Amino acid sequence: MFTIFNEELAEVARRFRDDHREFAAGGWGADRLEAHRVANLRSAVEYTRANSPFYRRHLAHVDPAAITSSTGAAWTSVPFTTKDDLRSARYDILSRPLSKAWIFYETTGTTGASTPCPRDNVDSLANNTVLTVHYDTIFRHHGDDQVIGVSGPTELHAFGDTFGDVCRNLGLAVAKMWPHSPMVGFDRAVAVLRELGVTGLFCTPGMALTLAKRVRAAGLDPRRDLRVRVLMLTGELASPELLANIGELWGARAYNALYASQEASVLGAAGEDGGLYTAPLINFYEVVDPTTGDPVAPAGGVRTGELVVTALYRGAKPLVRYRTGDLVRLTPGDAAASLPADRLEVLGRTRDELVVGGRRISGYDLENLLLGHVRGYLDYQVVIDTGADGADRLVLKLEAADDEPPRVDPAIRDHCRDVLGVEVGVDHDRFGSITSTGAMVSWKAARVVDNRSEVDAETAAARALASARS
């Protein structure tokens, strides 16, 4: 309600709402969208160069007037912004002083120095409007008696504020619960789910699995004893097969609900059909070769490579040609889809790619391949070894419920051999807290034990975090 105290912000909020509703209804054609992009790419350069000490130097030689196309040389010659730039520039990258923000967040800093991520009211209005319009396509189908649990990673993360605000916009009651907090804990979190009759839950995939374990450890069944019917999962890699298993465990529809970062805010959000859609009114998306930085040409209409984004709104920390470090597949929009936007598949960080059997594969595709043949597991991890013959070997380790072992299709071995050219085994184990660290460190550090190489810094950080949690 803060906007009623500021007429200018109230007008900004109405404009964002109306534009996004019109876009979602199919009211923006290609020409209008390109005009919007070009105008705001120019504005991004002008605004950041005028207000950010970092961008004043970084974009000093860029001529905004020369930017007449979102794909022309004037734009693609603009220098990238990298994660190293954010770490070194810190507060100099801001385009508004910290005192003009409404809230301060920062990255987790588990594998490097934290970077400041304050947000002003325009940041929150722009991003939360996207989520409100996207998520309305989902929650409108679940009645008027919904109670939504929000379970995020830390107090300095945008998770709770963002989803709480979006649920308020949609008229949904919210219970913020932090199971890793010593004041809450998992037992109390499970009790809250039961006592309040929580019907939807925002959390990471790892948290959804951990909560399912705790519910079962209490002698309960999430499908029978809880009312959760919608799982809005974010913060970690989430392949379709992992989502399907989590949904089955809970008796709920599991969505890959959000692709975002503390640094760049909302980059993609789910629609009712399960697609993860771009937000083209607030971001400009490019896909580049991770090695060369050159634009990637579409193959069958699909672009695969590292995602680069530019904010199309003027907040506290808009980023220009920011290299996310994430591999994506970007597919053109479909007229029959929930939203008239391009679809994103987030394949994992560029450094999370693996070479198995001499073939390079993303974390997303490896997870989807292996988990497509199993259901009913409470957790998983992948172990990679080199056999006596020098060939790679994979073992998929599954954590089972005591009373309900996972279902494994024997075809997993032949299928994985056909795709990767390696032998695959299936085993059982219990993993403790290590598999819950993906959102704080990386998918690979949480999910993969690669015995072919030395322990890297991220794996060491994941192990330390897991030890602290246990």
Side-chain angles (χ1 to χ4, degrees):
M1 70 179 282
F2 71 90
T3 56
I4 68 172
F5 294 97
N6 186 312
E7 290 299 328
E8 182 179 353
L9 284 172
E11 179 56 34
V12 169
R14 284 190 289 269
R15 187 177 72 251
F16 279 139
R17 179 200 62 194
D18 294 345
D19 282 350
H20 283 282
R21 282 179 172 172
E22 185 181 8
F23 176 82
W28 281 59
D31 290 344
R32 182 181 178 186
L33 188 55
E34 173 64 1
H36 173 82
R37 280 194 293 256
V38 170
N40 284 285
L41 292 176
R42 288 178 186 161
S43 178
V45 172
E46 293 168 345
Y47 177 81
T48 56
R49 197 167 59 181
N51 296 288
S52 161
F54 168 79
Y55 280 118
R56 190 172 301 124
R57 302 184 300 270
H58 196 62
L59 304 180
H61 301 294
V62 178
D63 178 11
I67 301 169
T68 59
S69 163
S70 64
T71 57
W75 177 253
T76 57
S77 64
V78 173
F80 293 119
T81 305
T82 67
K83 290 183 183 291
D84 284 341
D85 290 330
L86 302 188
R87 294 187 184 104
S88 60
R90 292 184 57 76
Y91 293 94
D92 276 356
I93 211 156
L94 302 184
S95 289
R96 301 198 74 194
L98 186 59
S99 61
K100 299 300 182 183
W102 83 269
I103 196 163
F104 177 84
Y105 304 122
E106 64 180 19
T107 57
T108 56
T110 50
T111 57
S114 297
T115 58
C117 302
R119 294 185 186 172
D120 70 5
N121 289 311
V122 171
D123 291 312
S124 292
L125 288 170
N127 287 275
N128 294 1
T129 298
V130 169
L131 297 182
T132 301
V133 172
H134 280 59
Y135 293 166
D136 181 53
T137 68
I138 296 172
F139 287 109
R140 70 170 68 142
H141 299 286
H142 293 276
D144 58 2
D145 62 344
Q146 298 176 64
V147 179
I148 309 301
V150 175
S151 178
T154 74
E155 290 79 0
L156 285 174
H157 199 281
F159 198 103
D161 294 321
T162 296
F163 292 131
D165 189 46
V166 169
C167 287
R168 178 184 286 186
N169 293 343
L170 294 171
L172 307 174
V174 169
K176 294 181 182 178
M177 38 185 263
W178 317 105
H180 285 298
S181 164
M183 296 299 292
V184 179
F186 280 88
D187 290 341
R188 181 57 187 153
V190 171
V192 168
L193 291 174
R194 295 193 74 198
E195 290 172 9
L196 301 188
V198 168
T199 59
L201 183 62
F202 283 91
C203 65
T204 66
M207 179 60 74
L209 289 169
T210 301
L211 282 169
K213 293 182 198 179
R214 296 302 184 108
V215 171
R216 284 181 171 268
L220 305 171
D221 184 336
R223 294 165 295 193
R224 182 190 66 232
D225 298 307
L226 300 178
R227 293 186 62 212
V228 175
R229 295 297 174 260
V230 181
L231 290 164
M232 303 291 280
L233 306 180
T234 184
E236 296 171 2
L237 199 69
S239 67
E241 296 295 351
L242 178 64
L243 294 175
N245 180 75
I246 293 174
E248 181 180 297
L249 288 176
W250 285 81
R253 176 73 183 272
Y255 288 91
N256 185 6
L258 173 68
Y259 168 47
S261 71
Q262 290 277 70
E263 302 98 331
S265 296
V266 172
L267 302 177
E272 193 278 332
D273 61 5
L276 184 67
Y277 293 95
T278 59
L281 300 193
I282 66 167
N283 297 305
F284 176 55
Y285 301 83
E286 301 173 74
V287 181
V288 303
D289 182 290
T291 302
T292 67
D294 294 333
V296 169
V302 179
R303 290 180 288 162
T304 303
E306 181 181 355
L307 183 66
V308 175
V309 293
T310 299
L312 301 181
Y313 55 94
R314 310 283 72 85
K317 187 184 178 181
L319 301 178
V320 177
R321 297 202 83 204
Y322 174 58
R323 293 187 67 157
T324 62
D326 294 331
L327 287 175
V328 302
R329 277 195 288 263
L330 192 61
T331 304
D334 180 348
S338 290
L339 292 150
D342 293 346
R343 291 179 70 145
L344 274 169
E345 289 178 284
V346 184
L347 308 181
R349 299 180 185 180
T350 55
R351 62 179 181 270
D352 279 356
E353 281 193 301
L354 291 161
V355 176
V356 181
R359 307 180 193 187
R360 185 171 294 277
I361 188 168
S362 69
Y364 177 95
D365 288 330
L366 179 62
E367 180 180 86
N368 209 45
L369 171 68
L370 294 174
L371 300 185
H373 297 81
V374 294
R375 287 291 184 272
Y377 55 90
L378 293 175
D379 215 339
Y380 87 93
Q381 201 167 52
V382 179
V383 179
I384 310 176
D385 283 298
T386 302
D389 58 357
D392 290 338
R393 174 177 169 80
L394 290 181
V395 177
L396 174 63
K397 292 193 172 184
L398 304 171
E399 182 167 340
D402 292 336
D403 59 343
E404 192 175 346
R407 305 184 303 279
V408 181
D409 183 346
I412 185 174
R413 292 173 175 82
D414 291 338
H415 188 205
C416 292
R417 190 185 302 115
D418 291 343
V419 173
L420 291 176
V422 300
E423 295 297 322
V424 174
V426 178
D427 202 353
H428 298 87
D429 206 344
R430 296 200 179 272
F431 306 112
S433 297
I434 185 68
T435 54
S436 72
T437 63
M440 305 289 285
V441 185
S442 74
W443 169 84
K444 187 164 69 173
R447 295 292 183 186
V448 177
V449 177
D450 191 344
N451 291 322
R452 303 171 302 176
S453 59
E454 298 294 325
V455 174
D456 59 20
E458 288 200 339
T459 301
R463 292 176 180 178
L465 180 59
S467 177
R469 284 181 170 178
S470 61

